[in-house]
Amino acid sequence: MHQDFLPPGIAVLTGAGVSKESGIDTFRDAGGLWTRVNLEEVATIEAWYRDKKKVLDFYNDTRRMFRATHIAPNAAHAALARLEQEYDGEVTIITQNIDLLHEQAGSRRVIHMHGRDGEVRCMHCQKVFESDDDLTPASVCPNCISVGELRPNIVWFGEMPMHLEEIYQVLERCGLFLSIGTSGEVYPAAGFVLHVRRHAARARTVELNLEATDNKTLFHEHIYGPATEIVPAYVARVLARGWRD
Ligand code: APR
């Protein structure tokens, strides 16, 4: 079918809240990761140059946590995979999460704007590799043989998020923008709803979150509750009768 005849796309921004009920902590809620760990010691380029072992150990532990047997996609991930399979138009997940739970649930169009688990990058030659091995300051780049230059392929504070050009194209052609499980405190993701309002003026914007965020007023509709309850119900509603009131 020619693209002109497809229904408008659905752009879904997800954050840590969508994976919370899978057993992965959020960042800013009470008890969240950044309330327990000083992000400046593990999630900045300065931290990496200051103490590579500390930064690499933190991400080695994170990767092991993601691979623990009790971590699995939940009903919200499954509902978004169902939406992609059953909706006639394009459904794109833009996730801030580095876990792979959307893919494990069956979603295929997933953009990891903050990088993803299972990839490392060489700071010397910039080549990206699939790897599940622990990194140490003695790790050797398989491409350029530099020592101690491999890091997780994850966007740290102060670094540019990935795939932004593609993301803005998806936002500008969407008819529905969903923001799920994100506090809206970290840019540029926090600004996506405003970008949709300005550049896809007819699009509907919906916030699905445990509680209201500071971006609340930019959404046409708000649905509050645990993602495993509200996302499957909303997806069922969209598939049954669309997103207009
Ligand atoms: N269901 C739905 N929403 C939830 C749930 C749940 N079960 N539990 C928590 N939430 C909501 C919280 O209310 C909060 O608004 O998820 C949001 C999580 O916010 P943050 O912890 O700030 O996570 P996120 O928005 O993904 O952070 C963005 O910050 O540190 C960086 O790179 C990191 O990608 C991350 C980015």
Side-chain angles (χ1 to χ4, degrees), residues 19-39:
S19 296
K20 170 76 179 170
E21 292 161 87
S22 291
I24 299 175
D25 280 343
T26 59
F27 296 96
R28 295 173 183 76
D29 294 309
L33 188 61
W34 298 147
T35 69
R36 290 181 278 115
V37 177
N38 182 353
L39 68 87

Side-chain angles (χ1 to χ4, degrees), residues 14-22 25-29 32-34 39 43 74 76 95-98 113-114 154-157 180-187 189 207-213 224-231:
T14 64
V18 80
S19 296
K20 170 76 179 170
E21 292 161 87
S22 291
D25 280 343
T26 59
F27 296 96
R28 295 173 183 76
D29 294 309
L33 188 61
W34 298 147
L39 68 87
N74 64 46
T95 188
Q96 299 166 88
N97 300 343
I98 61 172
M113 63 178 293
H114 290 166
I154 287 167
V155 177
W156 287 328
F157 285 89
I180 304 178
T182 177
S183 59
E185 290 193 23
V186 175
Y187 285 82
E207 174 170 77
L208 297 105
N209 203 53
L210 195 58
E211 59 201 4
T213 69
Y224 298 126
T228 55
E229 293 175 17
I230 60 178
V231 178

Side-chain angles (χ1 to χ4, degrees), residues 5-245:
F5 301 111
L6 285 176
I10 301 177
V12 186
L13 173 67
T14 64
V18 80
S19 296
K20 170 76 179 170
E21 292 161 87
S22 291
I24 299 175
D25 280 343
T26 59
F27 296 96
R28 295 173 183 76
D29 294 309
L33 188 61
W34 298 147
T35 69
R36 290 181 278 115
V37 177
N38 182 353
L39 68 87
E40 284 168 16
E41 290 179 16
V42 294
T44 64
I45 193 69
E46 291 81 8
W48 153 265
Y49 283 118
R50 201 165 46 232
D51 190 344
K52 286 184 183 173
K53 183 173 179 337
K54 184 173 193 173
V55 171
L56 295 175
D57 282 349
F58 174 77
Y59 285 100
N60 290 334
D61 288 347
T62 302
R63 197 185 56 254
R64 269 190 283 276
M65 181 271 290
F66 285 157
R67 307 302 154 91
T69 46
H70 69 280
I71 304 290
N74 64 46
H77 298 105
L80 293 173
R82 177 187 173 207
L83 183 65
E84 183 180 352
Q85 275 149 24
E86 296 185 20
Y87 180 65
D88 285 337
E90 176 186 82
V91 176
T92 308
I93 295 177
I94 302 159
T95 188
Q96 299 166 88
N97 300 343
I98 61 172
D99 68 57
L100 302 177
L101 295 178
H102 285 303
E103 288 90 339
Q104 288 167 17
S107 289
R108 282 167 303 178
R109 280 182 59 83
V110 184
I111 302 175
H112 284 271
M113 63 178 293
H114 290 166
R116 71 167 179 84
D117 180 37
E119 276 185 359
V120 302
R121 182 167 93 242
C122 176
M123 287 293 278
H124 183 70
C125 68
Q126 295 301 325
K127 205 162 161 45
V128 174
F129 306 91
E130 294 278 334
S131 173
D132 278 345
D133 297 336
D134 274 4
L135 290 181
T136 76
S139 296
V140 179
C141 172
N143 183 51
C144 71
I145 324 294
S146 296
V147 177
E149 297 292 333
L150 290 180
R151 57 169 278 185
N153 193 28
I154 287 167
V155 177
W156 287 328
F157 285 89
E159 295 182 322
M160 186 67 89
M162 300 172 181
H163 314 298
L164 282 180
E165 198 173 322
E166 184 186 357
I167 289 171
Y168 285 116
Q169 284 173 9
V170 167
L171 297 177
E172 287 166 23
R173 63 172 182 256
C174 79
L176 174 66
F177 173 74
L178 307 179
S179 175
I180 304 178
T182 177
S183 59
E185 290 193 23
V186 175
Y187 285 82
F192 288 171
V193 61
L194 189 57
H195 192 86
V196 170
R197 296 296 299 264
R198 286 190 177 141
H199 297 274
R202 296 171 60 189
R204 184 164 178 85
T205 58
V206 184
E207 174 170 77
L208 297 105
N209 203 53
L210 195 58
E211 59 201 4
T213 69
D214 290 348
N215 273 342
K216 180 179 189 293
T217 53
L218 294 170
F219 292 94
H220 296 107
E221 185 177 347
H222 314 88
I223 303 171
Y224 298 126
T228 55
E229 293 175 17
I230 60 178
V231 178
Y234 184 76
V235 165
R237 188 182 116 191
V238 166
L239 290 173
R241 53 185 174 88
W243 56 77
R244 297 289 162 198
D245 285 329

